[in-house]
Amino acid sequence: MTEIKEIVERALAEDIGAGDMTARAIVPVAAEGRAHVVQKEPGIVHGYEIAREAFTQTGATYFDVREPEDRWRDDVPKTLFIVHGRSRGLLAAERVALNFLAHLSGIATMTANFVREVEGTGVRILDTRKTTPGLRALEKEAVAVGGGVNHRMGLYDAVLIKENHVVVAGGIREAVAEARDAGREDIEIETRSLSEVSEAVAAGADRILLDNMDPTAMARAVALARGAAEGPLQIEASGGVNLHNVRRVAETGVDDISVGALTHSAPALDLSMQLRAV
């Protein structure tokens, strides 16, 4: 995949620069090694492809998978894969490979935890555009691995009218009307109060985003919107959602819950690399 190749090239260049001073001083040029990459805490590991690319670009000759990725694992520590090659190359790739792998695994793991919390409600956990610049496709792939749903890859594939759009348009009704006049479909609009919810439904929005409402207010908003809508209406909750309150939010009757933290605040999964000489 060209995108992954280029991302890894930039990351290695950033880390290695003119060369690994420590390895050049200590590790013989011809030394061979086996790097064991180990999962140290429960969760979902995702990102073998980009980790493999990092090791490949620094000269690894063999990538031996011992445990499958993309599934929850409680039995840790566990060796995930072993990489063979020159020891200098393995050390040069170590931090880049683990950074990507731990970050993507953390996203998949956090997503799975959110999905588990709303199990049985029928509510979907969505991601957002709050991603690391340049890594959106990879991070959203990790969300999907964790059981979440990708929502808006970018500004180009869905209409979401937010507060600043409403200000420019002159109001909720005006914003929705202008989007319709422009030929847009499946129009979603952000609302922050019951009066805004009423306005959005009356304006004919297809999706309502309930932004930063507490569960009690949200339940009222859902009842209001469902009662006033003349046709199908999707309702999404967003803002202030965490693992402690996501179940309560899901039980308000919303269809979807979007969680920016999946990509902007997921803690890295604890992984390590253990190098052995051969």
Side-chain angles (χ1 to χ4, degrees):
M1 181 179 178
T2 303
E3 180 185 7
I4 286 181
K5 182 175 184 296
E6 293 173 351
I7 288 171
V8 170
E9 284 176 349
R10 289 195 298 271
L12 288 172
E14 174 184 63
D15 200 34
I16 298 171
D20 181 347
M21 294 179 65
T22 309
R24 284 181 174 180
I26 297 171
V27 182
V29 173
E32 296 277 332
R34 290 193 183 93
H36 294 238
V37 173
V38 178
Q39 178 179 351
K40 299 169 69 177
E41 68 173 317
I44 297 176
V45 172
H46 174 70
Y48 281 12
E49 182 181 5
I50 197 164
R52 183 198 299 263
E53 180 64 27
F55 285 113
T56 298
Q57 287 191 24
T58 59
T61 56
Y62 188 63
F63 192 92
D64 180 17
V65 175
R66 297 299 179 90
E67 294 288 336
E69 64 177 329
D70 298 353
R71 64 175 62 175
W72 188 277
R73 183 174 294 105
D74 282 312
D75 182 18
V76 293
K78 182 76 72 174
T79 296
L80 301 172
F81 56 82
I82 301 173
V83 190
H84 302 242
R86 292 286 176 91
S87 294
R88 283 192 181 187
L90 297 176
L91 291 167
E94 176 183 5
R95 182 42 49 202
V96 167
L98 290 184
N99 280 351
F100 281 124
L101 192 61
H103 176 57
L104 297 176
S105 298
I107 291 172
T109 297
M110 177 178 270
T111 303
N113 285 329
F114 270 92
V115 170
R116 184 180 297 119
E117 287 297 319
V118 302
E119 188 175 357
T121 66
V123 171
R124 304 185 305 171
I125 297 297
L126 311 183
D127 56 21
T128 71
R129 289 168 42 242
K130 295 177 181 178
T131 55
T132 307
L135 298 184
R136 179 169 296 171
L138 293 173
E139 291 178 344
K140 282 181 171 280
E141 181 180 85
V143 167
V145 165
V149 176
N150 297 150
H151 180 48
R152 288 219 304 167
M153 289 300 293
L155 296 172
Y156 53 84
D157 64 355
V159 175
L160 175 51
I161 300 170
K162 306 193 78 172
E163 178 184 2
N164 289 329
H165 298 108
V166 171
V167 169
V168 173
I172 287 176
R173 290 175 181 270
E174 291 82 357
V176 173
E178 288 179 18
R180 284 278 182 233
D181 290 344
R184 302 296 188 262
E185 298 178 353
D186 195 23
I187 297 171
E188 180 172 14
I189 188 160
E190 178 184 87
T191 60
R192 294 162 295 162
S193 66
L194 293 180
S195 61
E196 289 185 351
V197 169
S198 294
E199 260 194 280
V201 174
D206 303 294
R207 292 176 59 92
I208 304 292
L209 173 62
L210 308 177
D211 184 44
N212 278 297
M213 293 184 185
D214 64 64
T216 300
M218 196 175 294
R220 291 176 183 155
V222 170
L224 174 65
R226 300 273 190 227
E230 295 182 358
L233 179 69
Q234 290 287 114
I235 302 178
E236 175 187 340
S238 185
V241 180
N242 56 53
L243 285 170
H244 300 295
N245 67 11
V246 68
R247 182 79 188 190
R248 286 184 62 206
V249 173
E251 290 172 346
T252 63
V254 297
D255 300 293
D256 302 314
I257 301 174
S258 55
V259 184
L262 299 181
T263 49
H264 72 60
S265 296
L269 197 68
D270 191 5
L271 308 170
S272 69
M273 187 184 96
Q274 300 164 1
L275 184 62
R276 301 174 187 176
V278 296

